[in-house]
Amino acid sequence: MSNIGLYDDKYKNFEWNDSAKELELHENEAKNIGYLCSDRICEKGFGQKLALIWEGFKGEVRRYTYDDIRLHSNAFAHYFTGLGLKPGDRICLFMDKIPELYISFLGVLKMGGIVQPLFSAFGEEALLTRIDDAKTSAILTTKKHAGKVRRILDKLPELKHIIIVDAEGELPGKNEKTYSMEKAPKVEHVDIYPVEPETPSVLHYTSGTTGKPKGALHVHSSIIAQYITAKWVLDLMLDDIYWCTADPGWVTGTSYGIIGPWSNGVTQAVYDIGFSTEKWYAFIERNRVTVWYSAPTAIRLLMKEGVEAVNKYDLSSLRHLISVGEPLNAEAVIWSEKAFGKPFHDSYWQTETGSIVITNFPGLKIKAGSMGKAFPGITATVVNQSTFEPITETGMVGLIALKPGWPSMFRTYWHNKEVYENKFKKGWYLCGDRASIDNEGYFWFVGRDDDVINTAGHLVGPFEIESALLEHQAVAESAAVGKPDPINMEVVKAFVALKPGFSPSSDLELDIINFIRKKLSPLAMPQEIEFVPSLPKTRSGKIMRRLLRAKEWGQEIGDTSTLEDE
Ligand code: WT7
């Protein structure tokens, strides 16, 4: 089954190699992502063009041209090499959305390192798990977040360098160094690590139902897919001002917050601030943002403030709107047409896919509530959950499955080949989501096929939450599930059965909440704890989270024996 031909002429007969050619890569050749996102753009004559317009939460503004990001990323690469860091070493970026985060990302890649971005809101336990798993050699962070690193340092013998990027002139602590991007001498030339297509580039951690978070490993040739999807789905053009609201701690913030826009030579605006309707609109107005990539949770929050809030600002610069991370409700699409005069276009993908795979891209008629169709070059279908054969019947729900082989697909889970291989059945990569396909080939998202909780577009694995709960002295067993929430789609709810000698009380609930707060990121924090005498289990003793979840969603549970040992 091929989707090509259903679309506009320019998509017909598309092959990934066409994208590689646009990047001037010969067959089976790769170039360093760091080079393609900075040096190459300068070579094209855009050295003086703005690459980054950055605004901080206090109103500070910093601007960087493509030549600036080239020189600063060279300097980072030079610095890392000088520290003795080697190609293949994992270098973690643990910062808020500051310019150093975006530019050091290219610096790590230029010296051949593997970038490990981690969301700066992560608590120390979340950080420890991921740094320990990746055996990370160095971490770049800021004074604000350094405390979390210091508290876990003793458990991380491999972590040799802690580099604080905003503590210039101050006395560093144990294993710590300071590096000021602004003050460091510019480096005109650095030996950019000569990569192969399969040279590892980025390691993004993501959560599953069982076990610890897994590191999805990407390679330098991923840019072939990120470049062309940014161009065709985000519709980026040379005179755009592009704003991606995602944090580079997550894959949207790297694939489409760094690699996509910069490999296209586009100016991007970054706002280091949390959600705020008024501030966001003012940011769009001030910077004349033309292309905006955001998420359903944010759109739902904007909807609450109504069209009145929109009308206070001049948002006429907006040309194209795209959404990702969770199902984009039909109401949100209709509302955005009313509010901005344009619909939000849905895009579906994952940490593992590395780039957008199913989407409403420009030129395709939008069906509000549908995710759209497979991107040219991607073969997507839904398969039967037991036979893994493609479902031919229109409208039947199955598992979203992709034919492996697109350039930005993850290459493995870090040191976890078994779990990686389990994601493939009968030659299909299974995304872990359920959907149906209508008679015109549009995909309609139904839900996840596992117990992972999607809160405000962030995946949270029940395992981490349950493990944290189990460490509390009163907790005998626990289960974390998603419960409905009007804004965040889902929030975490925990069920707890207590050990003998403990009885439920609001004091105990508070104590448990306080106990796990420092272990988990704010996203993963349960909004509610329900004490239960025991948890429903399958015959083999597996907790039936699905049953608990169904109750929260008011769904019919029906015959529970069908849930046994799924
Ligand atoms: C999971 C991936 C790369 C996107 C950022 C999150 C859900 C993603 C959609 C969408 C419905 C969506 C899926 C997917 N998801 N986009 N347009 N409609 N659900 O990356 O953390 O790896 O999460 O987010 O469940 O598998 P991620």
Side-chain angles (χ1 to χ4, degrees):
M1 189 179 73
S2 163
N3 292 305
I4 292 160
L6 294 171
Y7 308 123
D8 209 71
D9 270 358
K10 72 176 170 189
Y11 304 128
K12 273 189 188 152
N13 307 319
F14 170 77
E15 287 174 16
W16 293 111
N17 202 30
D18 301 335
S19 170
K21 273 193 214 143
E22 286 196 21
L23 290 166
E24 293 161 304
L25 301 172
H26 302 295
E27 194 126 3
N28 299 323
E29 185 198 24
K31 285 196 180 131
N32 194 302
I33 291 176
Y35 163 83
L36 290 172
C37 289
S38 60
D39 305 67
R40 178 171 178 270
I41 307 299
C42 296
E43 289 165 13
K44 298 264 158 222
F46 297 110
Q48 295 316 306
K49 180 178 176 172
L50 280 180
L52 177 64
I53 302 168
W54 176 86
E55 291 191 18
F57 66 96
K58 292 190 204 126
E60 330 80 291
V61 180
R62 287 160 70 181
R63 290 166 193 271
Y64 298 87
T65 63
Y66 272 97
D67 206 45
D68 293 332
I69 66 166
R70 176 179 72 85
L71 293 168
H72 285 315
S73 59
N74 279 355
F76 268 117
H78 178 77
Y79 172 67
F80 295 140
T81 307
L83 289 179
L85 292 164
K86 299 267 176 314
D89 283 352
R90 275 74 61 210
I91 301 178
C92 173
L93 308 181
F94 187 54
M95 290 174 258
D96 294 345
K97 288 188 270 181
I98 56 174
E100 284 80 354
L101 169 59
Y102 294 76
I103 298 171
S104 64
F105 181 92
L106 301 185
V108 174
L109 295 173
K110 280 188 173 179
M111 55 75 65
I114 302 176
V115 194
Q116 182 192 15
L118 289 179
F119 187 39
S120 59
F122 274 152
E124 52 203 76
E125 204 92 0
L127 194 62
L128 173 63
T129 310
R130 290 159 179 82
I131 295 182
D132 181 41
D133 187 70
K135 301 283 174 263
T136 309
S137 307
I139 183 167
L140 267 75
T141 189
T142 55
K143 288 190 276 189
K144 181 175 161 193
H145 299 292
K148 294 186 270 191
V149 183
R150 284 177 196 137
R151 287 193 289 274
I152 55 174
L153 194 57
D154 287 346
K155 299 184 187 131
L156 297 167
E158 271 97 348
L159 188 62
K160 295 284 182 318
H161 310 279
I162 297 159
I163 302 152
I164 320 272
V165 300
D166 62 347
E168 202 215 345
E170 294 172 36
L171 219 51
K174 186 186 159 203
N175 284 17
E176 292 175 16
K177 301 164 180 67
T178 62
Y179 180 87
S180 160
M181 181 176 87
E182 302 293 348
K183 298 274 169 59
K186 294 201 164 152
V187 175
E188 187 55 48
H189 179 82
V190 80
D191 289 328
I192 294 178
Y193 185 69
V195 299
E196 303 281 327
E198 295 300 304
T199 303
S201 55
V202 182
L203 184 63
H204 264 299
Y205 276 77
T206 183
S207 302
T209 304
T210 51
K212 291 183 176 176
K214 307 169 295 278
L217 185 66
H218 291 278
V219 297
H220 276 264
S221 58
S222 71
I223 195 169
I224 294 168
Q226 289 144 347
Y227 163 80
I228 200 74
T229 46
K231 186 171 167 180
W232 285 0
V233 180
L234 307 181
D235 204 25
L236 293 181
M237 299 182 197
L238 274 179
D239 53 1
D240 275 317
I241 306 287
Y242 165 68
W243 182 27
C244 170
T245 58
D247 188 296
W250 309 101
V251 74
T252 307
T254 59
S255 287
Y256 298 107
I258 301 179
I259 304 174
W262 282 351
S263 60
N264 276 278
V266 163
T267 301
Q268 70 161 329
V270 167
Y271 203 8
D272 185 16
I273 192 174
F275 178 84
S276 153
T277 306
E278 301 271 334
K279 287 187 174 147
W280 278 29
Y281 289 153
F283 181 76
I284 294 173
E285 180 181 70
R286 213 165 38 241
N287 291 296
R288 307 296 300 151
V289 170
T290 57
V291 179
W292 185 18
Y293 197 17
S294 200
T297 291
I299 302 166
R300 285 192 288 271
L301 285 166
L302 296 173
M303 284 169 75
K304 279 213 315 194
E305 310 283 329
V307 176
E308 304 75 56
V310 179
N311 291 341
K312 287 201 247 163
Y313 299 87
D314 173 9
L315 306 183
S316 59
S317 57
L318 288 174
R319 177 175 76 71
H320 186 46
L321 317 174
I322 323 92
S323 163
V324 66
E326 319 149 56
L328 178 65
N329 336 44
E331 306 85 78
V333 177
I334 293 159
W335 180 80
S336 76
E337 263 183 317
K338 204 163 63 179
F340 308 113
K342 348 209 122 39
F344 264 94
H345 293 67
D346 200 2
S347 68
Y348 166 89
W349 58 294
Q350 323 176 287
T351 304
E352 288 85 344
T353 69
S355 64
I356 296 162
V357 290
I358 295 172
T359 184
N360 282 299
F361 53 89
L364 189 69
K365 183 187 82 187
I366 293 184
K367 291 190 185 179
S370 155
M371 305 196 288
K373 297 188 187 187
F375 185 82
I378 298 284
T379 305
T381 190
V382 294
V383 298
N384 178 289
Q385 63 171 21
S386 0
T387 64
F388 306 111
E389 295 296 343
I391 293 174
T392 45
E393 208 174 319
T394 302
M396 273 270 281
V397 176
L399 304 177
I400 302 180
L402 308 171
K403 261 270 141 10
W406 68 98
S408 65
M409 179 176 196
F410 74 135
R411 297 306 200 262
T412 191
Y413 287 123
W414 190 254
H415 291 162
N416 208 340
K417 210 159 170 240
E418 198 186 318
V419 179
Y420 172 75
E421 282 169 357
N422 243 321
K423 297 282 263 188
F424 297 85
K425 299 278 186 259
K426 295 236 173 106
W428 293 100
Y429 164 71
L430 301 183
C431 297
D433 290 307
R434 289 175 297 129
S436 67
I437 307 176
D438 72 14
N439 56 357
E440 291 182 297
Y442 283 72
F443 284 72
W444 297 78
F445 188 83
V446 173
R448 290 210 44 111
D449 183 50
D450 56 17
D451 292 335
V452 170
I453 301 155
N454 186 336
T455 178
H458 300 295
L459 297 191
V460 177
F463 179 83
E464 268 190 296
I465 305 165
E466 292 161 8
S467 308
L469 285 164
L470 286 175
E471 285 175 42
H472 189 279
Q473 54 163 356
V475 177
E477 40 182 34
S478 69
V481 301
K483 73 166 196 178
D485 181 80
I487 295 296
N488 300 301
M489 187 170 89
E490 288 183 307
V491 290
V492 178
K493 173 168 179 179
F495 291 86
V496 164
L498 294 170
K499 285 185 187 155
F502 291 92
S503 47
S505 72
S506 49
D507 278 355
L508 181 58
E509 180 177 350
L510 196 66
D511 191 62
I512 296 175
I513 292 276
N514 285 333
F515 177 79
I516 58 176
R517 192 183 305 282
K518 70 175 204 309
K519 298 178 181 290
L520 299 172
S521 76
L523 290 173
M525 279 302 290
Q527 304 293 302
E528 186 189 340
I529 292 184
E530 184 177 329
F531 293 109
V532 287
S534 66
L535 293 169
K537 286 191 216 70
T538 61
R539 241 164 303 173
S540 65
K542 265 204 294 185
I543 292 169
M544 289 198 273
R545 293 191 196 87
R546 256 174 239 207
L547 204 140
L548 296 166
R549 184 178 191 282
K551 260 197 219 151
E552 294 302 313
W553 287 78
Q555 291 162 350
E556 279 295 320
I557 304 156
D559 180 7
T560 54
S561 63
T562 59
L563 287 166
E564 294 263 301
D565 290 328
E566 249 180 37

